[in-house]
């Protein structure tokens, strides 16, 4: 599936190059300076996406899994917009050396991001139908991960059980204090990304989204540090770096204007 996603990226990049090469003239027919049609400004966006995830941690031999999501956005001008995203997906990977195990992680997350359209910001002339943006924000992830033996698929490690209890936000605040039997671990995350979008019709855009996550935990792969103990809620802190993951996804967005 990732071949199709990369193919889509190449197609969109070609569209972007052509859009910049053949910029349309403004309404005055003389210069190419920006002269936007006010009816084209659609501040609200509803989009869906689907793609593949990639994990970076202890069990980092890749097993790309799927992700899907929905987003609603509000543009404050042509350059800056605010988006609320929800994603549901899986992470996967394995490591033969030392761990001899593979893992699967089912997660859901919610994020609030600010998007900056660089094409609109820095082009003095009409930017055309293609645009390139960067974005960043804050979010929260709920997940459950299990690690299995590579030879016999026996469960080796897990992040949640009947003995699990919710962690405080920082180790210095003490050990878990809330009720036991936590079904999913809850941690903060920092999403950063880029997107390439192409305007298909007046209200529709097709895009490619690459997003990278820094997560405030080291147990997304049911493994914390170079050790074989269960990294559940009560044992989730280690001295090793936190885990990270990313996704690449195709997006389809509908742009609209709320009429008063």
């Amino acid at each position: 599936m990732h071949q199709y996603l990369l193919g889509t990226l190449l197609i969109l990049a070609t569209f972007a190059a052509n859009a910049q090469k053949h910029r349309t003239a403004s309404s005055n027919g003389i210069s190419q300076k920006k002269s936007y049609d006010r009816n084209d400004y659609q501040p609200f966006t509803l989009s869906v996406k689907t793609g593949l995830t990639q994990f970076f941690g202890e069990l980092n031999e890749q097993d790309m899994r799927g992700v899907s999501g929905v987003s609603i956005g509000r543009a404050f001008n042509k350059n800056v917009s605010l988006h609320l995203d929800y994603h549901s997906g899986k992470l996967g990977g394995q490591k033969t050396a030392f761990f001899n195990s593979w893992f699967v992680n089912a997660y859901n997350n919610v994020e609030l991001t600010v998007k900056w359209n660089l094409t609109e910001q820095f082009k003095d002339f009409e930017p055309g139908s293609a645009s390139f943006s960067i974005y960043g924000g804050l979010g929260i992830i709920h997940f459950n991960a299990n690690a299995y033996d590579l030879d016999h698929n026996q469960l080796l490690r897990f992040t949640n059980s009947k003995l699990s209890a919710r962690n405080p936000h920082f180790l210095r605040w003490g050990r878990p204090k809330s009720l036991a039997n936590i079904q999913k671990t809850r941690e903060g995350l920092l999403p950063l990304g880029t997107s390439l979008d192409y305007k298909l019709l007046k209200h529709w855009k097709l895009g490619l989204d690459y997003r990278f996550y820094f997560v405030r935990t080291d147990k997304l792969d049911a493994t914390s540090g170079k050790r074989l103990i269960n990294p559940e809620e009560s044992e989730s802190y280690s001295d090793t770096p936190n885990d990270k993951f990313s996704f690449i996804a195709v997006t389809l967005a509908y742009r609209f204007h709320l009429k008063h």
Side-chain angles (χ1 to χ4, degrees):
M1 184 176 179
H2 61 282
Q3 292 92 339
Y4 298 110
L5 292 172
L6 293 176
T8 304
L9 175 59
L10 292 175
I11 292 172
L12 289 172
T14 302
F15 282 147
N18 290 335
Q20 296 303 323
K21 183 178 179 181
H22 304 290
R23 291 189 291 265
T24 59
S26 61
S27 58
N28 60 20
I30 300 175
S31 71
Q32 290 180 317
K33 292 293 184 179
K34 291 183 179 179
S35 178
Y36 291 109
D37 179 1
R38 291 182 179 271
N39 294 326
D40 188 55
Y41 179 57
Q42 309 290 339
F44 294 94
T45 302
L46 181 64
S47 62
V48 294
K49 70 186 69 174
T50 182
L52 295 173
T53 62
Q54 187 172 12
F55 174 74
F56 306 94
E58 283 82 10
L59 308 187
N60 58 7
E61 295 172 5
Q62 295 304 321
D63 176 20
M64 300 180 79
R65 299 295 183 107
V67 62
S68 59
V70 62
S71 173
I72 185 167
R74 169 69 160 89
F76 297 100
N77 51 48
K78 286 284 185 177
N79 305 327
V80 179
S81 58
L82 185 67
H83 297 262
L84 180 64
D85 300 348
Y86 170 79
H87 297 102
S88 178
K90 289 186 177 181
L91 302 173
Q94 67 179 45
K95 191 74 170 183
T96 304
F98 184 77
F99 296 105
N100 193 45
S101 56
W102 64 275
F103 84 97
V104 61
N105 177 317
Y107 74 89
N108 307 90
N109 62 359
V110 177
E111 307 152 48
L112 187 65
T113 59
V114 177
K115 191 172 185 178
W116 185 20
N117 190 319
L118 297 181
T119 305
E120 293 282 1
Q121 181 69 50
F122 295 109
K123 280 292 180 182
D124 292 330
F125 300 102
E126 296 282 0
S129 298
S131 61
F132 179 77
S133 303
I134 61 174
Y135 60 83
L138 296 171
I140 188 169
I141 183 171
H142 287 72
F143 68 91
N144 184 289
N146 295 295
Y148 301 88
D149 179 73
L150 273 173
D151 299 320
H152 308 290
N153 290 327
Q154 177 185 359
L155 179 63
L156 300 177
R157 297 179 300 280
F158 45 82
T159 56
N160 302 92
S161 73
K162 292 183 178 180
L163 300 179
S164 298
R166 186 71 70 200
N167 273 328
H169 291 294
F170 296 97
L171 180 60
R172 61 185 175 85
W173 290 356
R175 296 179 63 81
K177 299 178 180 179
S178 61
L179 297 177
N181 196 24
I182 298 298
Q183 298 299 314
K184 287 194 173 185
T185 298
R186 179 185 64 200
E187 296 288 4
L189 52 79
L190 174 65
L192 299 173
T194 63
S195 67
L196 181 63
D197 300 289
Y198 186 80
K199 182 180 175 183
L200 295 174
L201 300 169
K202 178 179 179 180
H203 293 282
W204 293 95
K205 279 190 175 183
L206 179 67
L208 196 68
D209 189 1
Y210 178 77
R211 189 168 306 195
F212 191 91
Y213 292 99
F214 296 91
V215 190
R216 199 200 65 86
T217 185
D218 182 36
K219 60 172 186 171
L220 285 179
D221 51 356
T223 305
S224 183
K226 197 168 184 179
R227 54 185 187 174
L228 302 178
I229 65 173
N230 287 327
E232 55 181 321
E233 293 281 357
S234 57
E235 297 290 345
S236 66
Y237 295 105
S238 72
D239 295 329
T240 55
N242 289 337
D243 290 333
K244 298 171 282 290
F245 72 99
S246 67
F247 72 67
I248 184 170
V250 175
T251 65
L252 181 64
Y254 178 77
R255 302 158 57 238
F256 61 97
H257 196 292
L258 292 180
K259 295 181 179 180
H260 298 291

